[in-house]
Amino acid sequence: MYEENEKPAAVVKDLYQQKDKMYVATDCIIFGFDSGNLKLLIFKRRVAPLQGEWSLIGSFLKLEEDVSAAAKRVLEEITGLKDVYMEELKVYGAADRDPGYRCISVGQYALIRLNDYDRELVKEHGAEWHDVDKLPTLVLDHDLMVQDALEKLKQKARFKPIGIELLPEKFTIPQLQSVYEAIFQKELDARNFRKKVLSHDLLVKLEEKDKLGSKRGAFLYKFDHRRYDQLTRNGYDFGIW
Amino acid sequence: MYEENEKPAAVVKDLYQQKDKMYVATDCIIFGFDSGNLKLLIFKRRVAPLQGEWSLIGSFLKLEEDVSAAAKRVLEEITGLKDVYMEELKVYGAADRDPGYRCISVGQYALIRLNDYDRELVKEHGAEWHDVDKLPTLVLDHDLMVQDALEKLKQKARFKPIGIELLPEKFTIPQLQSVYEAIFQKELDARNFRKKVLSHDLLVKLEEKDKLGSKRGAFLYKFDHRRYDQLTRNGYDFGIW
DNA sequence: TACATTAATTTTTAATATCCAAAAAAAATG
DNA sequence: CATTTTTTTTGGATATTAAAAATTAATGTA
């Protein structure tokens, strides 16, 4: 959870018992999507305690740093990405959640486009993408964080078009459907899905086709952010979009 | 925000600049409901800084205390109530949110039955109920917290029957409608409302009538918590209940 | 005892979501 | 180049839910 270079000075003195001081950390639940599966970016801790165990990627909060900025910093350090969709999940504040520190952690989840990230950086940090349904056990309460994030993702996806955050700028309807099937963990009817997502006029059909995903090829679309902003300003209400 | 007796020792030394240390606090957005209006419990700070200004009720987090426990503690100290509906709202973590401290605050909102609370205690603490649409300006980012809480309440009320948390155990359908109208900030159709809330078989009709609210009198109902638990365990999904 | 007020039920209508199958386009195969 | 295979794409009938209107019931008050 704590990157070596971000540990508070006190940590260096006594690694295992810093219970006399309040620490604040943030942990990132970083989702990606590839070939039908939701993926999570995790890494093997390289420092004690809990060295070698799988963990979410996080950091202590710096004194002069906004909580949301801390998550963005972590994300950029690991993936090289700025301007990522990111949202607060929940505070993990049990007094005994971390045996080493009295530390509360702000869970924040992010949605990443798997084409964009910096593969070198990720490798350097020992981070890896894992299918969310084949995750190893994570340290501390990180398993719980992941469960909570998946649940929140389901809820959120019903009313906000966050699925597009996991796809490249141009995408096909079948690809989008595949994202939602992964989030909701169930199959959707292709006809109804297409009808619904197109009904809001939020997808702009392009000339090009994507020929990689299938033989026939499907038309590419892009998301009309401008129109979306207009609609939401007027309190528009989506049901699965 | 900080009750006198809960200030960390350091606060006493220099009241206005404790930026070298991370503090964690919680602030409670406490809602009640009376005669058609949502109410908020706030108080006038009796200690510097910001003495005399209106504020949410909060406290610093103790070292050995869960975050959720801190909010419960605050709530009991002020209202005498335990077992109150309470949920995390959001973390307020801007580095400059508090001019005196480097302090992040966990906003937590609570729903109170206005009959139950301890009026003496509330008065002792200088706390008062105010209509949410006639609030004075609050300290720090507390205005934002209230806005966020109202928004969250709207969202939540669409899928969870939290309206009942604001009413006594026995209540009438028109009363319940009135609660939802206050939350959603719009009028609802009485016929459709009744049909919808009764459709889930979550309200148990009683023999008695409430004669205070109208001439004819309306039947009292109570909420069937057992059935609700069953339904939600099986992943039942309400749309406005 | 007529009148006003609110509660409660029933019916009708409109809107929305759900269900289902067949045709068209392109590539792969022989 | 005819045939098969795969995947995209499209529409209409049906069920479900929400909105609106009209009606009846109970009670207090003028």
Side-chain angles (χ1 to χ4, degrees), chain B residues 166-185:
Chain B
L166 292 163
L167 289 175
E169 200 196 350
K170 300 175 182 180
F171 54 86
T172 69
I173 307 271
Q175 280 170 2
L176 188 61
Q177 178 176 343
S178 168
V179 168
Y180 277 90
E181 288 179 333
I183 293 174
F184 294 137
Q185 291 282 322

Side-chain angles (χ1 to χ4, degrees), chain B residues 189 191-192 195-196 209 211 214-217 239:
Chain B
D189 184 285
R191 302 162 288 199
N192 297 327
K195 214 183 301 178
K196 202 177 289 181
K209 278 191 168 186
K211 301 261 182 175
S214 72
K215 298 176 179 180
R216 176 177 173 181

Side-chain angles (χ1 to χ4, degrees), chain B residues 227-240:
Chain B
R227 179 170 159 75
Y228 177 71
D229 291 343
Q230 280 183 341
L231 285 179
T232 46
R233 254 196 297 279
N234 304 342
Y236 191 69
D237 204 8
F238 304 86
I240 306 193

Side-chain angles (χ1 to χ4, degrees), chain A residues 96-221:
Chain A
D96 61 357
R97 59 175 291 278
D98 186 324
Y101 302 86
R102 174 48 169 131
C103 175
I104 78 166
S105 175
V106 182
Q108 310 196 58
Y109 66 99
L111 304 180
I112 298 274
R113 296 175 226 285
L114 278 192
N115 306 314
D116 298 356
Y117 74 95
D118 184 329
R119 282 144 207 274
E120 285 305 316
L121 257 183
V122 165
K123 196 177 285 182
E124 276 177 33
H125 286 84
E128 291 175 15
W129 290 99
H130 285 244
D131 283 7
V132 288
D133 48 5
K134 289 176 207 152
L135 287 178
T137 299
L138 306 179
V139 298
L140 306 181
D141 48 7
H142 290 194
D143 286 326
L144 178 60
M145 292 187 187
V146 174
Q147 283 313 308
D148 289 346
L150 285 169
E151 196 49 48
K152 184 127 181 175
L153 205 53
K154 267 191 210 175
Q155 293 305 321
K156 206 82 184 176
R158 291 176 60 185
F159 300 105
K160 295 211 169 171
I162 55 175
I164 59 159
E165 304 291 342
L166 291 163
L167 290 175
E169 198 195 352
K170 300 174 182 180
F171 53 87
T172 69
I173 307 271
Q175 280 170 3
L176 187 61
Q177 178 176 343
S178 167
V179 168
Y180 277 90
E181 288 179 333
I183 293 174
F184 294 137
Q185 292 281 322
K186 69 171 177 186
E187 298 193 348
L188 302 172
D189 182 282
R191 291 166 289 198
N192 295 334
F193 183 81
R194 178 180 297 268
K195 212 186 300 181
K196 204 175 289 182
V197 298
L198 289 177
S199 69
H200 303 290
D201 280 338
L202 281 169
L203 299 185
V204 181
K205 188 174 188 172
L206 305 175
E207 299 296 314
E208 323 157 58
K209 279 194 169 186
D210 168 273
K211 302 261 181 176
L212 300 172
S214 71
K215 299 177 176 180
R216 176 177 172 181
F219 279 103
L220 289 165
Y221 289 78

Side-chain angles (χ1 to χ4, degrees), chain B:
Chain B
M1 182 166 73
Y2 331 109
E3 287 296 298
E4 194 152 23
N5 54 349
E6 287 141 16
K7 269 182 292 177
V11 178
V12 180
K13 291 184 198 152
D14 179 351
L15 217 47
Y16 296 94
Q17 283 297 331
Q18 289 291 334
K19 292 282 199 180
D20 57 337
K21 204 176 149 186
M22 191 77 74
Y23 291 97
V24 177
T26 187
D27 288 296
C28 297
I29 301 98
I30 306 174
F31 290 109
F33 179 80
D34 185 38
S35 50
N37 286 109
L38 276 179
K39 306 268 188 178
L40 194 69
L41 190 61
I42 56 179
F43 83 130
K44 252 184 191 159
R45 287 170 55 79
R46 288 195 279 204
V47 296
L50 301 172
Q51 184 170 8
E53 300 207 38
W54 289 102
S55 166
L56 292 175
I57 300 160
S59 166
F60 282 111
L61 180 62
K62 297 182 180 179
L63 264 176
E64 72 291 350
E65 184 178 49
D66 293 356
V67 169
S68 59
K72 282 178 191 152
R73 169 171 58 77
V74 170
L75 207 67
E76 188 177 352
E77 283 171 2
I78 301 281
T79 67
L81 296 175
K82 296 182 175 192
D83 298 323
V84 166
Y85 178 90
M86 179 163 246
E87 199 157 337
E88 180 182 331
L89 172 61
K90 200 169 172 298
V91 170
Y92 293 81
D96 61 356
R97 61 176 290 279
D98 187 323
Y101 302 87
R102 175 48 168 130
C103 176
I104 78 164
S105 176
V106 182
Q108 310 196 60
Y109 67 98
L111 304 180
I112 297 275
R113 297 175 224 285
L114 279 192
N115 306 313
D116 298 356
Y117 74 95
D118 184 329
R119 281 144 209 272
E120 285 305 314
L121 257 183
V122 166
K123 195 176 283 180
E124 275 177 36
H125 286 84
E128 290 176 16
W129 290 99
H130 286 244
D131 283 7
V132 289
D133 48 6
K134 289 176 207 153
L135 286 178
T137 299
L138 307 180
V139 298
L140 306 182
D141 48 8
H142 290 194
D143 287 328
L144 178 60
M145 291 187 188
V146 174
Q147 285 311 309
D148 289 346
L150 284 169
E151 196 51 48
K152 184 124 183 177
L153 204 53
K154 267 191 211 176
Q155 294 304 321
K156 206 81 185 175
R158 291 176 61 186
F159 300 106
K160 296 212 168 171
I162 55 175
I164 59 157
E165 305 290 343
L166 292 163
L167 289 175
E169 200 196 350
K170 300 175 182 180
F171 54 86
T172 69
I173 307 271
Q175 280 170 2
L176 188 61
Q177 178 176 343
S178 168
V179 168
Y180 277 90
E181 288 179 333
I183 293 174
F184 294 137
Q185 291 282 322
K186 70 172 177 186
E187 297 193 350
L188 301 172
D189 184 285
R191 302 162 288 199
N192 297 327
F193 182 81
R194 176 181 300 269
K195 214 183 301 178
K196 202 177 289 181
V197 298
L198 289 177
S199 70
H200 304 290
D201 279 337
L202 282 169
L203 299 185
V204 181
K205 189 174 187 173
L206 305 176
E207 299 297 314
E208 323 155 60
K209 278 191 168 186
D210 169 275
K211 301 261 182 175
L212 300 171
S214 72
K215 298 176 179 180
R216 176 177 173 181
F219 279 103
L220 289 165
Y221 289 78
K222 64 178 182 184
F223 188 76
D224 188 342
H225 289 90
R226 173 172 306 199
R227 179 170 159 75
Y228 177 71
D229 291 343
Q230 280 183 341
L231 285 179
T232 46
R233 254 196 297 279
N234 304 342
Y236 191 69
D237 204 8
F238 304 86
I240 306 193
W241 289 53

